Amino acid sequence: MVRNHRARPGRSAAGAPPRLGVLTGRARILHTGEAGLAARLPLADVLLVWDFTSDSVRRAWPGEGHRPRWVHTASAGVDHLMCPELVASDTVVTNARGVFDQPIAEYVAALVLALAKDLPRTLELQRERSWRHRESRRIAGTRACVVGSGPIGRAVARTLAALGITTALVGRAKRPGVHGAEELDRLLARADWVVCAAPLTDDTRGMFDARRFGVMQPSAYFVNIGRGPLVVEDDLVAALSKRWIAGAALDVFAREPLPEDSPLWTAPGLLVSPHMSGDTVGWRDELGAQFVELYDAWEAGRPLRNVVDKERGYVPGH
């Protein structure tokens, strides 16, 4: 078993190794960084990708020799892993579905409340010692469009509904309780809050572009807690500058950490956070415990949970 690890600034589970002591005597645990991964892959039956900000698996996998029969990533997204050779192989890929759902939903609710109640401006005025009365927006009775019908999207929809927000959930295909992708533009045009929680695939990359921001209401807010490349960032900056939409909040970016010279830092009405929406106290322990539970099933020959459809790039059936 190999743990891919490279410490880096920004969000990463690599800051603390997983607690795998319970596997002592059951598995030989090998540790490697990016430079040694290609050489270690043929030695591994199981690959635990602990540093989920790295794309080293995607680069190392096409080499020669044996490949692990199972790859688990300590993240919800799997786009950092996938290459044609891994997709075509018999290797099973699983993800950390279930760990981040409610924490991210709570974070989205916090962003919605902060934007509606103009809390960023309140903090600015406090620092300026400026007493400036304003009116804020009510959120009960507003409409939200949540794009992405997986566990995270569903948790976001439930949490926003508890705040009195009428929520429409959009997925790849229409089914009970979920709108199909063909309905997205119609729902965007009516939404006060647009939350992107979609997986990153060839179909979803760049889905929020100038046209989509143009469909939204001038009073609407956009929130992305999915994957950075789902958004054409230059188009978002333009939409905010032209006041096509009222504001936005991004927790994920095409390039992380966000470069200091990125125009996103100063885009009007934009809240920037460093990929932290799912990271609550103890989250690394939860990820480690989840892997051990999956390893128990794998060792016993039982079916694994959270199996990713490698062609689609996410866990199907939700």
Side-chain angles (χ1 to χ4, degrees):
M1 178 165 51
V2 178
R3 176 172 61 86
N4 179 36
H5 169 88
R6 185 179 78 173
R8 62 179 65 194
R11 178 180 189 264
S12 172
R19 298 186 178 183
L20 303 181
V22 69
L23 300 183
T24 300
R26 297 165 56 189
R28 180 187 175 206
I29 300 176
L30 306 176
H31 301 264
T32 186
E34 292 188 359
L37 180 60
R40 290 280 177 105
L41 275 179
L43 307 176
D45 297 307
V46 178
L47 174 65
L48 168 57
V49 184
W50 191 248
D51 181 358
F52 44 74
T53 64
S54 170
D55 62 357
S56 58
V57 174
R58 187 169 59 205
R59 290 185 279 106
W61 195 272
E64 297 293 328
H66 168 82
R67 288 296 179 262
R69 293 178 288 157
W70 167 36
V71 174
H72 177 75
T73 178
S75 61
V78 298
D79 51 280
H80 60 295
L81 300 176
M82 293 305 179
C83 61
E85 292 82 1
L86 175 54
V87 172
S89 73
D90 293 332
T91 297
V92 175
V93 175
T94 58
N95 71 356
R97 177 188 182 191
V99 173
F100 301 109
D101 307 353
Q102 192 55 37
I104 290 178
E106 293 170 3
Y107 197 87
V108 170
L111 290 173
V112 168
L113 286 165
L115 292 168
K117 304 307 178 184
D118 199 22
L119 294 185
R121 183 60 176 150
T122 295
L123 293 173
E124 290 177 8
L125 292 170
Q126 180 181 347
R127 284 192 292 268
E128 297 169 5
R129 301 179 183 234
S130 176
W131 183 276
R132 191 173 305 174
H133 181 270
R134 289 113 56 223
E135 294 178 347
S136 63
R137 298 179 59 175
R138 293 186 63 175
I139 60 171
T142 59
R143 296 175 181 270
C145 175
V146 180
V147 184
S149 60
I152 292 174
R154 295 201 304 271
V156 169
R158 288 193 304 269
T159 303
L160 295 183
L163 295 174
I165 300 174
T166 301
T167 305
L169 193 58
V170 180
R172 184 168 177 265
K174 185 176 182 179
R175 58 188 185 276
V178 178
H179 297 270
E182 69 280 1
E183 300 178 76
L184 177 57
D185 287 352
R186 177 180 65 82
L187 294 168
L188 290 180
R190 303 173 59 193
D192 301 291
W193 312 97
V194 176
V195 181
C196 180
L200 179 60
T201 67
D202 290 340
D203 292 333
T204 61
R205 186 180 298 273
M207 67 183 300
F208 282 98
D209 55 9
R211 188 187 71 79
R212 286 261 160 75
F213 293 124
V215 168
M216 293 167 59
Q217 301 183 85
S219 59
Y221 288 86
F222 174 74
V223 176
N224 186 19
I225 45 77
R227 301 292 285 170
L230 296 168
V231 177
V232 180
E233 293 174 345
D234 288 344
D235 289 357
L236 175 59
V237 171
L240 290 167
S241 299
K242 296 174 182 177
R243 301 191 184 280
W244 288 1
I245 59 176
L250 300 181
D251 187 56
V252 288
F253 303 88
R255 181 179 170 189
E256 297 180 5
L258 187 65
E260 291 184 7
D261 60 352
S262 170
L264 292 169
W265 287 111
T266 55
L270 177 62
L271 289 179
V272 170
S273 59
H275 204 151
M276 58 182 283
S277 61
D279 304 345
T280 53
V281 175
W283 64 292
R284 292 179 179 87
D285 290 340
E286 289 186 56
L287 289 171
Q290 182 187 58
F291 174 74
V292 170
E293 182 181 339
L294 288 169
Y295 187 88
D296 288 342
W298 182 82
E299 187 179 47
R302 299 193 304 270
L304 291 172
R305 296 183 295 106
N306 296 2
V307 174
V308 173
D309 183 318
K310 293 185 290 185
E311 294 283 351
R312 296 184 183 181
Y314 54 88
V315 179
H318 49 63

